[in-house]
Amino acid sequence: MKTYAEINEKIKNGKAVVLTAEEVSELSKTLSPKEIAEKVDVVTTATFGAMCSSGAFLNFGHATPPIRMEKIELNGVRVSGGLAAVDTYVGATDCNPASPAYGGAHIIEDLVNGKKITLEAWGKGTDCYPRKHIKAVIGKDDINEAILYNPRNCYQNYNVATNTTDQIKYTYMGTLLPKMRNAAYSSAGELSPLLNDPECRTIGLGTHIFLCGTDGYVSWNGTQFHTTKPVNEFGIPTSNARTIAVIGDLKKMSSDFLRGAYIEKYGITLYVGIGIPIPILDEDLARRVSIRNEQIETTVIDYGNGNRVLGKTNYAALQSGSIEIDGHKIRTAPLSSLAKAREIAGILKAWIEKGDFLLSEPVRPMPTGTSLKGLTALDD
Amino acid sequence: MIQKVVLSFPVDATDRSLTYDLVKQYDIRINILKAEIQAGKSGNLLVELEAEPQKLDEGIAYLIANGVTVSPVSSKVSYDEKWCIHCGNCVSACFSHALTIGAPDWKLHFNPDKCIACKLCLKSCPLKLFRIEFAES
Ligand code: SF4
Ligand code: SF4
């Protein structure tokens, strides 16, 4: 048994033993969880994938005379005008329907890259905010705060998408060729954060993380947080279950780990890089982080045909380049970047080894016993 | 010997039976993979040319002499490697296996010899990193 304080003390003294989740999975072939718990202090996990439920709060500062911005456009893209006088939330998927390939996620990336953005805003004019219109050029150094706040990131596991119809389908799971000629998956498998701590024993409100090139925090459970999905014999939910909400300083982020993207015939999304350190407090956690790709199962879904469940597979098979469903061999390819996830796990490991990054104990654990509600339309 | 090339025809060459001459005079078998050609306008052909090496060279020289631009496919399909995030979206769409990703490095690899210029990667890359000069219309 180790405590957060003991592990942090080791980190400060440069004595902490830190491994990436892939390294510890390899080690688990020769060492028992007990031995791993004794040897290893921290395991770094990571993912780099498309996360639509992302966005940034910006505060522009006041002009003279001031304006209460009620309709706001950034580079021609309408963003939220429902947040006080000079604040907005740029949603990653915000876009101008006239040019759908550029939107909120690209604005966020442009800000990170230090590019200038045209701001145009309108207000009705009030006694205290008399101005009715303003046009200005802003960059990250000209505005007060720029805070990335993503309500739902880092899905614990995700479905595999294929298409049984005889037409190409353009989906958020990428281009799906006809007649199951490909299948797409979107998780870093044994490197993925929430698969290494499947019950969120160490990931909670206040967990210190790597977020898009700088440090950030888990700020809440993510939306659509689902803890009662079926799990396999290794305690892994076999489809998308838990999520996290994250927060960090956009001004310090890097486009190496944050990218605006456009998925054909679907829309805009943001590629987000997240790394989460897992303290190896005890044998149970050592066992959890030792999880291997072949032990992580997921569900194959027909995105061409009403999300029908076609079967189950695991990440060792997915990463081998092909899976078999009903006797069909299907070629697989990822949608999230394992190369980038590895890079992030490595950087976080180096930060911790150097003593630059300390772990934080959650100030509140994640909820339990949650499931999802649907939505009933008035005319249903 | 088989060579895959893009033939770009100028306006005035399009109506002439250059491809017929290749077969007749140079004994070159032509496998047309993709054609974008209209009489009276310039056009592109993606072809596989199969012949004795010497005949192939002569045939290509004949095309060039007649104003046709002959370029290898590799020079036509490209992507901006510097910005690639190795996500794999393009690999999923590329059924000719020109684009691959996998163990050990999980980085994108492009084998131009297998490319059939189908353009599916153009749409499937979420960062829009691909450029295909052939078939730009
Ligand atoms: S053009 Fe088609 S064959 Fe060539 S790399 Fe792109 S997807 Fe593959
Ligand atoms: S889809 Fe684009 S970013 Fe992704 S691997 Fe292919 S070229 Fe790179």
Side-chain angles (χ1 to χ4, degrees), chain B residues 42-53:
Chain B
S42 61
N44 294 310
L45 273 187
L46 174 66
V47 293
E48 267 176 5
L49 303 177
E50 188 178 358
E52 297 292 314

Side-chain angles (χ1 to χ4, degrees), chain B residues 3-60:
Chain B
Q3 208 175 331
K4 187 156 60 174
V5 292
V6 176
L7 307 180
S8 305
F9 290 78
V11 178
D12 59 346
T14 330
D15 292 334
R16 302 220 301 265
S17 49
L18 293 174
T19 47
Y20 177 77
D21 291 347
L22 284 187
V23 180
K24 267 307 218 201
Q25 296 180 27
Y26 300 96
D27 208 13
I28 296 177
R29 279 191 51 184
I30 305 175
N31 181 14
I32 298 178
L33 300 169
K34 196 177 178 86
E36 290 196 353
I37 197 159
Q38 284 171 293
K41 290 188 183 162
S42 61
N44 294 310
L45 273 187
L46 174 66
V47 293
E48 267 176 5
L49 303 177
E50 188 178 358
E52 297 292 314
Q54 200 196 331
K55 292 273 186 204
L56 199 57
D57 288 347
E58 285 172 17
I60 288 174

Side-chain angles (χ1 to χ4, degrees), chain A residues 126-239:
Chain A
T126 69
D127 288 346
C128 41
Y129 293 104
R131 193 194 284 260
K132 289 185 177 155
H133 175 251
I134 191 167
K135 203 165 179 180
V137 172
I138 57 150
K140 68 175 170 185
D141 298 329
D142 313 315
I143 60 178
N144 290 315
E145 289 82 12
I147 304 160
L148 191 77
Y149 180 79
N150 304 346
R152 184 175 65 262
N153 277 183
C154 222
Y155 244 119
Q156 183 178 38
N157 215 344
Y158 213 80
N159 300 319
V160 178
T162 189
N163 166 24
T164 60
T165 71
D166 49 19
Q167 273 164 17
I168 289 194
K169 299 278 177 193
Y170 295 97
T171 73
Y172 68 87
M173 292 295 280
T175 307
L176 298 175
L177 301 172
K179 299 225 181 285
M180 300 206 284
R181 273 155 79 196
N182 67 346
Y185 62 96
S186 180
S187 165
E190 66 189 26
L191 195 52
S192 181
L194 299 190
L195 293 173
N196 280 280
D197 182 7
E199 286 166 15
C200 290
R201 279 190 55 205
T202 68
I203 300 170
L205 180 51
T207 298
H208 194 198
I209 61 170
F210 172 108
L211 183 60
C212 304
T214 182
D215 68 334
Y217 290 90
V218 173
S219 57
W220 208 253
N221 52 283
T223 53
Q224 297 179 17
F225 194 82
H226 194 324
T227 65
T228 47
K229 284 252 169 125
V231 296
N232 72 2
E233 57 187 302
F234 303 102
I236 299 286
T238 51
S239 55

